[in-house]
Amino acid sequence: MGTPLDRPFVAFAGGPTGHWEVTASATITGSPLPPVSRVDVHERVGLPGPDQAATWTLVGRVSNGRYTRRTELDALTAIQAPLGRRAASRAALIPIRKSPAWWALAQDERRAVLAERSQHISVGTRHAGTIARRLCHSRDLGGAFDFLTWFEFAPEQEPAFDELVAELRGSLEWSYVERESDIRLARRPSNRAA
Amino acid sequence: MGTPLDRPFVAFAGGPTGHWEVTASATITGSPLPPVSRVDVHERVGLPGPDQAATWTLVGRVSNGRYTRRTELDALTAIQAPLGRRAASRAALIPIRKSPAWWALAQDERRAVLAERSQHISVGTRHAGTIARRLCHSRDLGGAFDFLTWFEFAPEQEPAFDELVAELRGSLEWSYVERESDIRLARRPSNRAA
């Protein structure tokens, strides 16, 4: 991936080619994404256009946290596994859109639902040492989803990852989720023609 | 402007033509914007490209508040003057970029600086009945500024507007501002060729 970019735009391109093979794909809520066999992940300095070879391209951007307090951020940063670990050959891409009712909440109301009532930050932190996570914001970019979250983990961590998403999906926060897909992936040599 | 768009992208195009004539322009901090005589404001459903006739185009998007609590939002909404009032023939465009140090703060730290220590929300609310305001977020769109704030007011409100910006510029929050311009405008018939 070369030198890490500061706050890159990230394009997730689903289609016939790519470094990540789709092993399972589920529509949790709302409209499905067209099925694909592979996903490629591209980092860009500027806003990327659609990948012409792809069936769909979802674009987000790494941004600042909107809810995490200093104590929570320090606890998370101290243990957060990085992306790109050799053993982390499995991944998940979870695009989410929240409802207008969520976005009509004020900052303190969103924080109360997400953190105090749904434990999103503490649940995530509990798994952060083994499950790498990168949140891309896409709401203000005009796409179909508000957030694109990418996770990487070792194959034996997939049951723990299933627990993590099940716990969040049962939370009050998730009652505000109106579209969600869950795409599971395994790292492979790219099948894109050179 | 037709039917109001939900969360439009807003393009501020500075150049030789437009509905707003530049009456004064100042660089408060950092690199100046090239001087222009007019500014046009365009609302779009999708991300707009640059206006080819313009010297510069700044693009932002109306988004959700990042700091306002429910009580503050209700107080503000109850009195906030709308855009487009006939008497509000003066405007200001204030593009701002904050420093990496600001963006490295956690949510509670940014809130404490912006609200509790700098009174940004209460200062704004005090003037909201006479000075219309629209905040466009641009940080995640990849432009040169983080925020583009547009204000509209009657000519006799300009001294009050000067007080408002002076009060904010003296605040702790503004020590994190690394680029700021202040462009004052008067509404005119458009001078763009038909």
Side-chain angles (χ1 to χ4, degrees), chain A residues 34-103:
Chain A
V36 295
S37 56
R38 295 268 181 152
V39 170
D40 241 353
V41 183
H42 309 286
E43 296 192 356
R44 295 286 183 268
V45 176
L47 187 66
D51 182 328
Q52 297 302 332
T55 306
W56 43 255
T57 306
L58 306 178
V59 176
R61 191 170 194 193
V62 177
S63 188
N64 55 290
R66 307 287 203 254
Y67 302 101
T68 349
R69 294 178 178 155
R70 172 52 59 194
T71 49
E72 294 162 340
L73 191 57
D74 286 347
L76 192 59
T77 310
I79 61 160
Q80 177 70 68
L83 296 180
R85 291 169 298 162
R86 181 181 295 266
S89 60
R90 296 292 180 277
L93 171 62
I94 304 197
I96 278 179
R97 186 174 70 222
K98 284 179 171 173
S99 66
W102 172 262
W103 295 111

Side-chain angles (χ1 to χ4, degrees), chain B residues 143-154:
Chain B
F145 294 95
D146 294 336
F147 306 101
L148 312 170
T149 314
W150 175 261
F151 302 90
E152 289 178 5
F153 43 84

Side-chain angles (χ1 to χ4, degrees), chain A residues 108-169:
Chain A
D108 57 335
E109 295 171 319
R110 281 183 275 111
R111 161 80 201 187
V113 171
L114 180 143
E116 277 69 56
R117 300 192 57 191
S118 303
Q119 302 295 320
H120 191 145
I121 296 169
S122 60
V123 169
T125 302
R126 198 189 325 134
H127 293 277
T130 47
I131 297 172
R133 168 184 174 274
R134 178 147 81 165
L135 174 63
C136 302
H137 290 256
S138 48
R139 181 169 191 251
D140 289 347
L141 298 180
F145 294 96
D146 295 335
F147 306 100
L148 312 170
T149 313
W150 174 261
F151 301 89
E152 289 177 5
F153 43 85
E156 64 271 22
Q157 293 296 331
E158 192 137 15
F161 183 72
D162 288 334
E163 273 175 44
L164 161 72
V165 294
E167 194 164 348
L168 289 175
R169 285 179 188 144

Side-chain angles (χ1 to χ4, degrees), chain A residues 7 9 47 61-71 73 103-110 137 139-142, chain B residues 7 9 47 61-71 73 103-110 137 139-142:
Chain A
R7 294 204 311 121
F9 289 93
L47 187 66
R61 191 170 194 193
V62 177
S63 188
N64 55 290
R66 307 287 203 254
Y67 302 101
T68 349
R69 294 178 178 155
R70 172 52 59 194
T71 49
L73 191 57
W103 295 111
L105 295 177
Q107 177 68 26
D108 57 335
E109 295 171 319
R110 281 183 275 111
H137 290 256
R139 181 169 191 251
D140 289 347
L141 298 180
Chain B
R7 294 204 310 125
F9 289 94
L47 186 67
R61 189 170 197 192
V62 177
S63 187
N64 56 292
R66 307 287 203 253
Y67 302 102
T68 345
R69 295 178 177 156
R70 172 53 58 194
T71 50
L73 191 57
W103 295 112
L105 296 177
Q107 177 68 24
D108 57 335
E109 295 170 317
R110 281 183 275 111
H137 290 256
R139 181 169 192 252
D140 289 346
L141 299 181

